[in-house]
Structures are given as structure tokens and as C-alpha cells.
Amino acid sequence: MTGTVDVVAIDGPAGTGKSTVAGQLAQRVGAHYLDTGAMYRAATLAVLRAGIDPADDAATGPVVAAADIRVSAGADGATIATLDGADVSREIRTDEVTAAVSPVSANPVVREKLVALQREHAVDDFLVVEGRDIGTVVFPTAALKVYLTATPEARSERRHRQNLAAGRASDLDEVLASVNRRDHLDSTRAVSPLRPADDAVHVDTSDLTLQQVLDRLTELVGERIGVRDV
Ligand code: DC
């Protein structure tokens, strides 16, 4: 890392509140926010649109390599994702994409491209980056690494409530099965499996409110990075 970039890496499995926490933390401390899961989701959408089997690495690699994927944060902090110039922010959150994202994100060609893209965001800046391998692979020298955890039940409950709030049909048992399936795939894949960095601070969010998690992380940013003029 260059001396001018401060990175807060937030990793952990699905449903720990990572996206909400990372986005709001970035706003609180005046950092840019990067949601790397949105990149893997946009890559998956490109694969689905091409009508290719998401598990066929030889076929998905070239499709993702040719795709123009961009992720940024809007004025309200929400993630904006574009694929080949068109806004796909909503489309990348569908069940179809969620069901296909694990095999696509296990493809080494896909990871190589997206990790390079993620590192391009670290230019003379203050960044909160959220994902699965940020502290271990993408930014191993991050000033602060946080590993968010929560029980599978607490995580499924949250995802279920988010689905309902967004007007999406949702079945709690199915959400739990999907969370367990993705955890297994994400943590057992050969390339960049989900695991905490040795120097990550673990925060279990099962019994914490969003405000409590944000307060804890803001405190950690203050200790490790200090208050930045941005
Ligand atoms: O955080 P999310 O649910 O939007 O992530 C979608 C998928 O992308 C998730 O199943 C794992 C994968 N992912 C990854 O492999 N590496 C990252 N840095 C971020 C997400």
C-alpha cells in the first residue's frame, strides 16, 4: 500500500450486516465505500445474460474478461453497479444472480480481473472496502481489518427481513439453506476462500444493533487511523 492510502477492510459471510455497516461507516468517517460483492454479482449477471453455465470456468472467464464492470457509491451511500454502461444495481440482487454467484466468484480468471479492479480504487484515498478476501488478498496491508460474524440463524433472519422490506418473496427456511450453501462454497473454494486475516478484529454482530456495530468500528478507525481530513 502506498503511504497515502488508508484502507479499512471488512470481511465476513453473507448476512452479517456487512454492506450496511461498511456503507454507513464510510459515511461516518468520510471515506469512500467499495462493495466488492457487487462486482462479483455484476460478473455473474454478465454470465447469465450470455446463457452460459456459471460453473463452466472455461466459458465464463472470457465473458467476464470482456465485461465492463464498474461499482461506486451513490450520494446516499448505496452501491451503484454498471455492466457495459447500463445500471444493473437492482438486477444484481435477484435470487437468480445470488444462486449463481458462488461458482462464478470461484473462477480464478474472474478473481484476477476483479481484484485488479478493486485495487484501482486505492488511489490517494481513504477507503472502506467490503468483501470476503479484502484483508487476506486484496489489501493485505490494510490499516484496519474487521471480520464480521453472526450465527447462521441471525444472518438468515436479517436477509429474510431485507427481502420482505424490498418487496421480494422470501421463505426463512430457504434463506437459511441458501446462506449455509453459500458459506460452504465460499469457504471451501480453492482460490481466496473466505477466512479471517490473522490480524483481523472479530466482531460478532448477532446480538448487536447496527448503531452498536458502527460505534465499535468507528472507535477502531479512530485508534488505528485517526480522524482524517477529507
Ligand atoms: O456480499 P455479497 O453477498 O454481495 O457477495 C456476493 C458473492 O460474491 C458472495 O457469495 C461471495 C462473492 N464474493 C467474493 O467471492 N469475494 C468478495 N471479495 C466479495 C464477494
Side-chain angles (χ1 to χ4, degrees):
M1 197 72 17
T2 70
T4 52
V5 185
D6 281 321
V7 174
V8 177
I10 302 187
D11 290 304
T16 48
K18 226 173 11 162
S19 299
T20 312
V21 166
Q24 295 202 13
L25 177 70
Q27 290 206 316
R28 261 203 197 187
V29 301
H32 288 268
Y33 164 51
L34 178 62
D35 169 2
T36 63
M39 289 186 179
Y40 289 95
R41 287 173 176 276
T44 303
L45 185 61
V47 167
L48 293 175
R49 283 184 177 172
I52 287 164
D53 174 3
D56 182 348
D57 280 7
T60 60
V63 169
V64 175
D68 179 14
I69 294 168
R70 291 169 204 231
V71 167
S72 59
D76 60 352
T79 293
I80 300 170
T82 65
L83 174 60
D84 297 328
D87 190 328
V88 292
S89 309
R90 284 181 68 85
E91 236 177 315
I92 60 169
R93 307 287 167 194
T94 59
D95 287 346
E96 205 191 353
V97 170
T98 302
V101 70
S102 283
V104 174
S105 61
N107 180 340
V109 173
V110 172
R111 296 207 77 82
E112 195 182 332
K113 167 171 171 147
L114 297 188
V115 166
L117 211 57
Q118 289 154 25
R119 290 186 179 140
E120 282 176 16
H121 283 256
V123 183
D124 195 20
D125 219 337
F126 183 19
L127 273 182
V128 174
V129 190
E130 170 227 327
R132 301 291 191 288
D133 59 341
I134 309 307
T136 51
V137 174
V138 185
F139 295 114
T141 60
L144 171 63
K145 300 177 187 177
V146 176
Y147 194 77
L148 291 185
T149 59
T151 62
E153 289 72 20
R155 289 155 47 208
S156 306
E157 187 74 46
R158 281 192 193 131
R159 206 26 77 92
H160 178 59
R161 279 202 304 264
Q162 273 171 5
N163 286 343
L164 296 180
R168 291 190 291 266
S170 190
D171 176 275
L172 185 55
D173 289 340
E174 274 174 26
V175 175
L176 179 60
S178 157
V179 161
N180 283 328
R181 197 165 47 239
R182 273 213 290 159
D183 278 2
H184 178 73
L185 289 170
D186 294 346
S187 56
T188 56
R189 70 180 174 218
V191 190
S192 303
L194 170 66
R195 68 167 181 83
D198 293 339
D199 51 350
V201 180
H202 291 238
V203 177
D204 185 335
T205 68
S206 307
D207 298 318
L208 298 180
T209 63
L210 172 62
Q211 286 310 313
Q212 287 171 321
V213 178
L214 281 172
D215 288 347
R216 173 79 183 114
L217 267 52
T218 306
E219 191 180 277
L220 287 167
V221 170
E223 284 167 20
R224 301 287 177 92
I225 298 174
V227 179
R228 288 203 25 160
D229 252 348
V230 282

